[in-house]
Amino acid sequence: MIGVSVLTTLAANVAVVIAHQQTKGEPARRDANERYVAAASGSRLSPAPVAPLQQRVTPKVLVAGSGPMPLEALSRLRRIKGVGAVEVADAAQAMVDGKRVGLLGVEPSTFRAFTPKPTAQSDDLWRNVAAGDVAISFTMGSDGGVKLGTQVPVGGQARQAQLRVGAYATMGIADVDAVVSRATARNLGVPTGNAVLISAPKVKTDALLKQIRRVVPKTVKAVEVSPQIDAPKAGGQLPAARGRVMNVQQVRTVIEAARTRLGWPYVWGGESEAEGGYDCSGLMQFAFARAGIRLPRVAADQARAGWVLPYEKAQPGDMLIWANDPTAPGYISHIALYIGNGRMIAAPRRGTVVQVQNVYLRNFRGAIRVNPQVSARIAY
């Protein structure tokens, strides 16, 4: 499951996404992953015109509150030194084919610039969204079993509509597994204008967060969104842990808890017995909770719960991370628990069960030595 817990913990389900500039002058070209985009002719509406991709930005900070962003706060966000373009969108928790996910209503012509390269470059993908389709994350489609091109129910208790799944496309924003046009979002009853996209290419994250918190209402929350994880170099120096790691008993408890779930089915979004199974990050959250350690919900955020180490430095109790999503290169989309001797406990994918596997290094991005204090801070 792709996403963070910020949207899920807010009653009004609103968000502001702050972003930094990524690469200038990238030429727009046809997406190499068009097989993840449904044929435009299948939409119930004619494909709407979408402006070509100009320049990409990458989400950096998520700010979420209990109501629409006040106009004065929005104006002050625009004036923060280093902030560039600002874009308004809509945000809510919604049910998509029976699965509760974070949903954004966006303007396809401009929002595409804030998405990963393969997603941003696909004209057909954004035409489908503009025409009334829903785009869902790659893992929701492949591991959640939501089929490309099918009609699925989307919405909440008050309003619901049958929308076609027009694309598998991860947006690179944790907790966002579905994107529709703003017109479609209004028809679904999503709050209007309660999300803002901001580009801040040269502002450090910590400094940006401090400035944001000065200008927005105290009820809103600001967190870093899905930062890129740099793969550590072999033989690199280990960080000075200074006691900020799990103790021996905690490591043993985490591994034993994960073993109790061997044989349970993979269920996308599963995190407890209530769902009848677990996905990869749900399994980690369950196992670490048994040792009193609070993890964030999804792999992209769990990867920030400690230090990133090269595989040869991995120890039992570390988490292992991969970037397997072809629609969002570099985005951490899979995680497992290292148990030593080249073995790990994982919930691999749809159609499998929780199992012990040999560690594989294709698309591998590192081992995470969990810092319980850091993990607790980012789990909210």
Side-chain angles (χ1 to χ4, degrees), residues 40-250:
S41 61
S43 293
R44 289 177 291 180
L45 302 174
S46 297
V50 175
L53 175 66
Q54 298 295 329
Q55 187 170 298
R56 292 174 52 237
V57 293
T58 300
K60 188 175 185 181
V61 173
L62 172 68
V63 181
S66 58
M69 185 61 55
L71 291 178
E72 175 58 26
L74 178 58
S75 177
R76 295 178 71 184
L77 284 172
R78 294 177 189 271
R79 297 197 299 268
I80 292 176
K81 186 176 180 180
V83 165
V86 173
E87 175 154 340
V88 176
D90 313 317
Q93 283 290 302
M95 299 298 291
V96 178
D97 197 32
K99 301 171 175 63
R100 181 169 292 280
V101 301
L103 178 145
L104 286 182
V106 305
E107 170 49 58
S109 292
T110 49
F111 176 79
R112 66 187 298 183
F114 289 81
T115 65
K117 191 173 182 179
T119 298
Q121 291 180 334
S122 175
D123 290 332
D124 289 343
L125 184 161
W126 295 108
R127 288 192 191 104
N128 282 354
V129 171
D133 288 352
V134 58
I136 63 173
S137 66
F138 178 79
T139 56
M140 185 179 182
S142 62
D143 292 335
V146 183
K147 294 183 179 180
L148 187 67
T150 59
Q151 299 284 333
V152 298
V154 179
Q157 293 182 349
R159 298 189 198 176
Q160 193 174 91
Q162 291 287 323
L163 302 183
R164 190 181 74 138
V165 179
Y168 291 165
T170 298
M171 300 299 156
I173 304 172
D175 198 39
V176 174
D177 281 288
V179 167
V180 297
S181 70
R182 296 196 70 191
T184 301
R186 286 193 294 272
N187 291 335
L188 294 173
V190 175
T192 301
N194 65 334
V196 180
L197 291 166
I198 303 176
S199 160
K202 297 181 180 179
V203 184
K204 292 184 178 180
T205 302
D206 289 345
L208 182 59
L209 286 169
K210 289 180 181 178
Q211 293 181 79
I212 291 169
R213 287 164 181 153
R214 292 192 191 106
V215 304
V216 299
K218 293 182 179 180
T219 53
V220 305
K221 182 177 180 180
V223 295
E224 188 174 7
V225 172
S226 305
Q228 294 289 318
I229 302 295
D230 294 326
K233 295 181 180 179
Q237 285 291 105
L238 290 176
R242 297 174 183 170
R244 295 170 294 171
V245 294
M246 295 189 295
N247 59 41
V248 173
Q249 183 57 49
Q250 286 176 314

Side-chain angles (χ1 to χ4, degrees), residues 3-4 12 26-27 40 93 98 112 144 178 212 224 239 243 271-272 321 357 380:
V4 293
E26 289 179 329
Q93 283 290 302
R112 66 187 298 183
I212 291 169
E224 188 174 7
E271 58 187 35
S272 68
I321 56 174
Q357 294 182 307
Y380 289 92

Side-chain angles (χ1 to χ4, degrees), residues 289-353:
R290 291 300 181 273
I293 298 171
R294 184 179 174 86
L295 285 181
R297 174 59 184 89
V298 297
D301 288 324
Q302 291 176 355
R304 298 189 289 128
W307 297 275
V308 185
L309 311 174
Y311 173 59
E312 67 268 18
K313 303 290 186 180
Q315 296 179 359
D318 290 345
M319 297 187 295
L320 307 179
I321 56 174
W322 288 262
N324 292 328
D325 190 334
T327 71
Y331 187 86
I332 302 304
S333 55
H334 186 56
I335 197 162
L337 179 67
Y338 187 60
I339 58 175
N341 299 317
R343 305 280 274 172
M344 63 184 181
I345 298 177
R349 59 191 172 277
R350 184 165 59 100
T352 67
V353 298

